[in-house]
Amino acid sequence: MKEDIFKLLTVVNQESGNKLVSTDVREYADKIAAHAKIISVYNASALEAFIAYYDNDEKKELAFLTMLVVSGESRNMGYAKKLLQFSIDNLKELKFKHFRLNVLQENSAAIQLYQSAGFCIIENDGLYHTMELKLI
């Protein structure tokens, strides 16, 4: 799966003008494959979408969504919404209190998705919005 994540991230990152991943894509793919919980959507043998989030806070205070990606051909099929809801439901089952993420301010489609799931903007650094969902 790590190689599939790398390939999809490379394509989507190029489409975004290299704004999606600001570090080395290979290193980032390796990091999330090793440390994040990943839920993926495959069509035949091709990775179409995935969500990666960290749920390793032993106190279960905060989980962090690090990446939600859908391939260009698979957009507007509901994958992002379903993956996001799956992760929220999973974190609620695990009794986490908060789910946080950072999103580029210019990514209005993602912001709208997150707001529709109940996330609120809690901080803005001029480039990114930090958004959070209270889970309990």
Side-chain angles (χ1 to χ4, degrees):
M1 178 187 288
K2 182 168 48 173
E3 190 62 26
D4 294 338
I5 290 170
F6 169 70
K7 288 177 185 175
L8 180 56
L9 279 177
T10 298
V11 170
V12 175
N13 197 45
Q14 288 172 348
E15 292 171 352
S16 76
N18 296 317
K19 293 180 181 178
L20 183 65
V21 179
S22 59
T23 60
D24 179 83
V25 176
R26 172 73 66 190
E27 287 178 17
Y28 183 73
D30 289 347
K31 177 184 171 187
I32 63 175
H35 301 290
K37 181 173 282 185
I38 299 170
I39 312 302
S40 56
V41 176
Y42 277 85
N43 185 1
S45 63
L47 180 62
E48 299 289 323
F50 75 90
I51 190 168
Y53 57 99
Y54 298 106
D55 63 352
N56 51 7
D57 177 1
E58 291 179 12
K59 294 181 182 179
K60 299 189 185 274
E61 292 288 328
L62 180 66
F64 190 82
L65 192 162
T66 189
M67 186 61 62
L68 175 56
V69 176
V70 179
S71 70
E73 309 83 48
S74 299
R75 291 194 183 123
N76 300 313
M77 296 177 74
Y79 291 140
K81 185 175 183 177
K82 288 176 184 171
L83 288 167
L84 183 60
Q85 190 59 54
F86 185 90
S87 66
I88 291 167
D89 291 345
N90 175 252
L91 291 167
K92 284 181 176 180
E93 285 177 24
L94 294 172
K95 308 285 191 231
F96 271 81
K97 294 179 183 173
H98 304 277
F99 196 15
R100 192 173 291 170
L101 61 90
N102 292 324
V103 60
L104 282 167
Q105 290 181 108
E106 65 191 49
N107 192 343
S108 58
I111 293 166
Q112 184 177 0
L113 169 70
Y114 299 135
Q115 287 176 326
S116 73
F119 284 82
C120 297
I121 297 170
I122 60 168
E123 206 173 295
N124 180 335
D125 70 3
L127 183 59
Y128 290 94
H129 288 310
T130 300
M131 301 181 77
E132 185 173 281
L133 174 66
K134 292 184 186 208
L135 298 169
I136 58 170

